Amino acid sequence: MKVDVLLGLQWGDEGKGKIVDVLAPRYDVVARFQGGPNAGHTLEFDGIKHVLHQIPSGIFRPKTRNVIGNGVVLDPIVFRSEIEKLSRFNLDVRSNLFISKKATLIIPSHRLLDQAQEKAKGEGKIGSTLKGIGPSYQDKIGRQGLRIGDILSSSFKEKFQKLVDVHMDILKHHDVTFNWPEMEGQFLEAVEFLKTFQLIDSEYFLNRELTQGSSILAEGAQGSLLDIDFGSYPFVTSSNTVTAGACTGLGVAPRHIGEVYGIFKAYSTRVGSGPFPTELLNEEGEAMRKVGNEFGSTTGRPRRCGWIDLPALKYSIMINGVTQLLMMKADVLSIFPTIKACTRYQLADGTVTEQVPYELTHERITPIYEELKGWHCTLKGLGEKELPKELIDYVVFLEGRLGVPISLISTGPDRTETIHRFRK
Ligand code: GDP
Ligand code: IMO
Ligand code: MG
């Protein structure tokens, strides 16, 4: 069997959590491969909304095993509080959750460094979630990070102290206030809790599963336009959010990759700073935010909203090798009599292009739009056959421009509000 990959094609929050939960019954294993508690993946069913940050979104499906891969950065404090929240739901989390010993540990001073770095950037701040993502990946790449497997070592406390000393040396130069004994105490308790879970050599685990014929779904976090290499740098996250990240973040070879599900909203959103060519700073953008409930699942910040951006989507499809597209939040566009799609960019020197320019941050980009008639009616309770003609026209238009079939349309946050196209 193969590893199918599901990832966001925009700036995150495309609806990955919902769809991983919908697809999970088809898979034996769901695995997160990058990111950490900066992610907020929402699932909704039986009238309850769940937001997961660290735990893979297959956790509510009893037959699916869930893996936190080596490419992830994990905060034991966030992990503990997430597990505690799940304890009300009678899930067998301890049997169904496996954590890579090679995943990177987020320690409390990473969060402080995140704050300090953002503060030092002033106006140019990234708009980080302040979960310690950048600093923990910096330590990983700088070859001084701690890994989950280290918590099992008898010398863990010394290793931890050594890293804390390095961080405190830097923090001396910054204006950040904190109560270290309290933070440390909470962290060390959470580490003891984490030790009681199945900490494994996940690359062996996953490759063994593949050999035995299991199907695996890799769950991306963030989105392709936040990728450290291909996103709108420097306004990005610190990991490879693209398909290739699933290979390095799980230890599976490229030849094992199967379907690549590229998930996107029927419009665009972004939370945090950075370029956003189709952003609507008007009442249309506000209406999208209100109707789409566009507030961050991790930080509660309002998300910036705008029309769909096809040059950016095409770029993401190219980098990821997307084989199927999944379109989310079609219902939100029901409010508009006319829908716009950016098909090209006009640059400051007058050039018209379908390519994402190198300098997305400082280049003044004017989106060129094509207009389509909106469906302007509710999609509640509709099946594939009952979808309004204008919505199908929009889907066919996007498929034509993007060159990849749209195999799923989501019409609401609940599990059941999902239309699978082409299913026999
Ligand atoms: P993720 O980070 O990609 O998992 O996405 P988030 O959970 O951060 O944000 C997606 C939001 O949209 C969540 O509040 C979901 O409940 C919601 N959502 C998902 N699909 C749909 C949909 O088709 N329509 C509407 N209205 N909301 C949706
Ligand atoms: P999910 O998985 C949306 C954004 C932050 C900030 C930038 C860097 O829910 O789609 P970081 O904390 O990683 O240093 O922040 O990336 N960001 C996200 N935006 N969804 C996410 O995850 C995000 N994770 C990080 O807002 O602009
Ligand atoms: Mg999210």
Side-chain angles (χ1 to χ4, degrees), residues 69-72 100-104 140 147-149 200-201 203:
N70 57 278
V72 169
S100 172
K101 284 195 218 159
K102 293 196 173 79
T104 296
K140 171 181 174 174
R147 302 193 291 179
I148 300 298
I200 61 162
D201 294 309
E203 62 279 37

Side-chain angles (χ1 to χ4, degrees), residues 236-293:
V236 293
T237 191
S238 302
S239 64
N240 279 120
T241 61
V242 296
T243 307
C247 294
T248 56
L250 295 176
V252 294
R255 71 187 169 93
H256 291 308
I257 301 295
E259 293 292 325
V260 179
Y261 300 108
I263 181 164
F264 69 100
K265 279 180 191 166
Y267 49 100
S268 307
T269 65
R270 173 165 204 164
V271 60
S273 331
F276 182 176
T278 62
E279 181 170 16
L280 291 167
L281 297 165
N282 59 13
E283 62 285 358
E284 284 173 324
E286 253 159 53
M288 277 179 193
R289 187 173 311 117
K290 188 155 170 262
V291 176
N293 191 23

Side-chain angles (χ1 to χ4, degrees), residues 126-231:
I126 308 293
S128 154
T129 58
L130 302 179
K131 301 290 176 189
I133 306 299
S136 56
Y137 276 118
Q138 279 170 18
D139 278 346
K140 171 181 174 174
I141 302 299
R143 297 163 296 183
Q144 59 178 10
L146 294 172
R147 302 193 291 179
I148 300 298
D150 291 331
I151 67 175
L152 303 173
S153 147
S154 56
S155 56
F156 173 67
K157 289 259 171 67
E158 290 96 86
K159 288 181 180 171
F160 169 65
Q161 193 53 52
K162 204 168 152 201
L163 188 58
V164 170
D165 290 345
V166 173
H167 292 171
M168 291 302 161
D169 240 16
I170 304 171
L171 286 166
K172 275 198 305 225
H173 306 286
H174 292 272
D175 173 28
V176 184
T177 47
F178 53 90
N179 177 342
W180 184 251
E182 193 178 291
M183 291 178 103
E184 186 183 52
Q186 197 192 13
F187 172 75
L188 293 174
E189 267 179 35
V191 163
E192 290 307 312
F193 180 75
L194 178 59
K195 270 189 196 166
T196 64
F197 282 77
Q198 306 188 70
L199 311 181
I200 61 162
D201 294 309
S202 59
E203 62 279 37
Y204 278 113
F205 175 96
L206 292 168
N207 282 286
R208 208 158 35 231
E209 288 290 331
L210 282 175
T211 312
Q212 290 167 359
S214 297
S215 52
I216 299 176
L217 179 63
E219 172 180 3
Q222 290 75 58
S224 305
L225 304 176
L226 289 171
D227 180 89
I228 184 72
D229 281 282
F230 300 106

Side-chain angles (χ1 to χ4, degrees), residues 308-330:
I308 201 160
D309 181 336
L310 299 188
L313 272 180
K314 273 189 181 170
Y315 182 71
S316 295
I317 289 169
M318 173 180 81
I319 300 291
N320 288 304
V322 171
T323 60
Q324 294 185 39
L325 288 166
L326 318 178
M327 185 172 92
M328 308 302 287
K329 303 192 97 159

